[in-house]
DNA sequence: CCCATTACTTACAAATTTGTTAGTACCATA
DNA sequence: TATGGTACTAACAAATTTGTAAGTAATGGG
């Protein structure tokens, strides 16, 4: 009983997103608990799975895998598997993901500014 | 039995956020299912509660209230109550929220571009 | 007095997202 | 033959987020 939810925080109804603004679409791509953190770490080049795991405080292997899979599917991250044992896999930003870098640096500055403002009020 | 989760998608542990990057902090402020949609609608000036409700497809009054409250608390939206009956309340962007506008327009362009790329692959 | 209007609340239920724990495969090395 | 390192998966449980449905207050007009 009760209708199905038609959308959730980060994986809405594709049709809805596509109809609505590109901004919402964009934020979906990088939203969620871990995605931005992962993308940030890759900003300076390739990293292996284990390097990512160690650099991102608190992430579990499961979450890292899930998020990397989504990022890959959405074309933000490129995954390379080397035919070695023990396995070696690395991840890097795709061209379009790199285009986000200047944007998120602005956003980051905004964040810092906003944080200061809020602290002053307290 | 199982530790408490120390963070959730949009309302993590303040200390963790503050320690970690400003980018993550910023994305938290505008993350979640509805916040950006609300902020976008306010881009061109004040709107009443009911106007927001009508312009945002699918939002419920409960969610609109909750999100507006958070945005207000975080200094992104200013709420003005008029002493009238029936009640009249309007919402507008604060100065710091307006600084986001150029950023989200870039993000929006990125979103459009990314959407095209993905479609070409299919 | 009764109703309409607006901007909310409240209590509850469901869905989604995340976390926990325990595996798996592969081969090289001891 | 047993062990170790790497990059995962799978099953389950818990937390968080969102939705639903039903109120509430205040007052002007009929």
């Amino acid at each position: 009983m009760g209708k199905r939810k038609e959308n959730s925080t980060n994986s809405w109804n594709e049709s809805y997103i596509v109809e609505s603004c590109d901004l919402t679409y964009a934020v979906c791509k990088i939203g969620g608990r871990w995605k931005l953190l992962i993308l940030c770490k890759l900003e300076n080049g390739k990293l292996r799975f284990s390097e990512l795991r160690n650099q991102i405080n608190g992430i579990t292997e499961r979450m890292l895998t899930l998020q990397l899979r989504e990022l890959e599917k959405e074309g933000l991250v490129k995954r390379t598997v080397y035919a070695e044992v023990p396995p070696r896999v690395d991840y890097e930003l795709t061209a379009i993901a790199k285009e986000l870098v200047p944007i998120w640096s602005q956003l980051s500055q905004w964040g810092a500014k906003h944080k200061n403002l809020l602290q002053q009020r307290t």
Side-chain angles (χ1 to χ4, degrees), chain A residues 19-94:
Chain A
E19 305 298 334
S20 75
C21 58
D22 292 331
L23 175 56
T24 303
Y25 172 90
V27 173
C28 285
K29 296 298 150 183
I30 58 174
R33 174 79 184 76
W34 300 111
K35 280 186 185 162
L36 261 177
L37 255 8
I38 296 171
L39 292 172
C40 282
K41 296 299 175 187
L42 294 173
E43 188 175 348
N44 303 117
K46 297 184 180 188
L47 287 178
R48 305 181 55 164
F49 184 85
S50 53
E51 292 171 320
L52 280 170
R53 169 166 42 73
N54 296 333
Q55 288 184 29
I56 299 175
N57 198 306
I59 199 168
T60 61
E61 299 197 329
R62 173 182 144 76
M63 276 298 120
L64 184 53
T65 306
L66 287 175
Q67 299 309 101
L68 284 170
R69 284 295 181 289
E70 275 191 50
L71 289 169
E72 194 192 356
K73 202 170 60 178
E74 289 164 350
L76 294 177
V77 150
K78 184 172 167 233
R79 178 168 181 262
T80 310
V81 183
Y82 300 87
E84 298 176 5
V85 167
R88 185 156 69 94
V89 178
D90 61 31
Y91 295 91
E92 63 190 308
L93 298 185
T94 60

Side-chain angles (χ1 to χ4, degrees), chain A residues 114-122:
Chain A
H114 179 269
K115 208 191 292 183
N116 278 340
L117 273 185
L118 269 199
Q119 283 170 352
Q120 285 172 5
R121 301 198 317 192
T122 334

Side-chain angles (χ1 to χ4, degrees), chain A residues 98-116:
Chain A
K98 284 180 189 154
E99 290 182 32
L100 275 173
V101 176
I103 299 177
W104 77 45
S105 97
Q106 291 172 63
L107 201 50
S108 174
Q109 283 174 40
W110 179 89
K113 186 171 178 183
H114 179 269
K115 208 191 292 183
N116 278 340

